[in-house]
Amino acid sequence: DTAVSQTPKYLVTQMGNDKSIKCEQNLGHDTMYWYKQDSKKFLKIMFSYNNKELIINETVPNRFSPKSPDKAHLNLHINSLELGDSAVYFCASSLLSTGELFFGEGSRLTVL
Amino acid sequence: DQQVKQNSPSLSVQEGRISILNCDYTNSMFDYFLWYKKYPAEGPTFLISISSIKDKNEDGRFTVFLNKSAKHLSLHIVPSQPGDSAVYFCAARDAGNNRKLIWGLGTSLAVNP
């Protein structure tokens, strides 16, 4: 039973396309996150939602739009994909009070 | 400007010996520190943490030490095992910024049999 699951695991697409990555957690956590790990392996937070409310919104292009339909789900939609969007995107969840994040396996996005 | 620095990108240790991974930080508003372990093609996994009010936390073979005056923490693994070979990330929680975690770049540990 996967605690934090994200789909798809691999995504290859052309520049200019729109794509979504979905994330679900079954840990009962109140906070969910999207991280981007770039080619230099740096983990950088993009968004964080606490009880469906956006609490962290880093300097990310408007082409990236998170959507949290409920506390257990946080999806990431990306419009007009660019080459520089190629990276591994990690979803994570936690209880805001503890700060211990549980990560999904990552979704490797390749933009051609 | 990196607020959390792991200055050693890689470390190689013999099985059975001690592994020491270091992490330095600059922000005095950090109130909680965490270590994560990451295998290839997997997400990071929480390993151990320490509150800023403590100087040591131990969990089995893993011990984290915090030196607040030096703004330095370290993760000790003893004895090291080949299965410990992974990338280790240090992260610090910013109490003044929505409890956001700030991450280091990671140290790749190789434990040789």
Side-chain angles (χ1 to χ4, degrees):
Chain A
D1 225 8
T2 308
V4 181
S5 59
Q6 50 184 114
T7 54
K9 195 167 181 177
Y10 299 97
L11 188 53
V12 181
T13 189
Q14 299 286 335
M15 265 197 325
N17 284 349
D18 303 339
K19 290 294 176 188
S20 293
I21 309 172
K22 296 185 175 181
C23 180
E24 177 181 3
Q25 56 96 3
N26 62 7
L27 297 166
H29 288 163
D30 57 8
T31 306
M32 295 186 73
Y33 311 79
W34 276 109
Y35 277 84
K36 179 181 180 180
Q37 186 177 39
D38 58 24
S39 55
K40 294 181 181 176
K41 307 299 182 189
F42 184 49
L43 265 174
K44 187 171 180 182
I45 190 165
M46 301 173 67
F47 303 101
S48 173
Y49 273 74
N50 174 252
N51 290 319
K52 294 170 53 182
E53 185 181 335
L54 183 66
I55 59 170
I56 294 175
N57 185 358
E58 291 297 286
T59 308
V60 176
N62 290 338
R63 300 181 294 103
F64 290 79
S65 53
K67 281 190 174 48
S68 181
D70 54 57
K71 286 198 303 185
H73 296 84
L74 181 61
N75 304 322
L76 182 65
H77 189 75
I78 315 170
N79 289 328
S80 304
L81 279 157
E82 300 178 357
L83 292 176
D85 297 332
S86 295
V88 181
Y89 293 85
F90 286 101
C91 176
S93 71
S94 75
L95 287 172
L96 189 62
S97 56
T98 65
E100 292 164 10
L101 273 63
F102 290 75
F103 283 83
E105 291 189 328
S107 296
R108 181 175 291 277
L109 171 65
T110 303
V111 182
L112 304 175
Chain B
D1 182 31
Q2 265 188 277
Q3 297 185 68
V4 176
K5 293 180 184 176
Q6 295 177 255
N7 290 319
S8 299
S10 63
L11 177 67
S12 184
V13 168
Q14 209 63 28
E15 182 179 4
R17 299 286 184 100
I18 185 171
S19 296
I20 300 177
L21 296 102
N22 294 306
C23 181
D24 296 293
Y25 63 96
T26 57
N27 190 338
S28 56
M29 291 296 291
F30 291 157
D31 68 341
Y32 197 61
F33 302 89
L34 306 94
W35 284 95
Y36 281 79
K37 175 179 175 179
K38 186 182 180 305
Y39 293 117
E42 292 184 14
T45 304
F46 170 72
L47 196 56
I48 193 170
S49 62
I50 188 166
S51 164
S52 60
I53 62 173
K54 301 202 170 178
D55 55 19
K56 178 181 173 182
N57 187 26
E58 193 171 347
D59 183 3
R61 296 185 298 113
F62 303 91
T63 304
V64 56
F65 295 93
L66 175 62
N67 182 334
K68 275 189 73 174
S69 59
K71 292 192 172 69
H72 176 84
L73 64 153
S74 60
L75 173 68
H76 292 211
I77 307 173
V78 55
S80 300
Q81 298 172 355
D84 295 329
S85 298
V87 177
Y88 289 79
F89 288 96
C90 170
R93 188 173 73 180
D94 189 345
N97 189 0
N98 278 316
R99 296 185 169 191
K100 187 168 76 172
L101 284 187
I102 310 298
W103 295 77
L105 288 175
T107 296
S108 179
L109 173 66
V111 180
N112 306 308

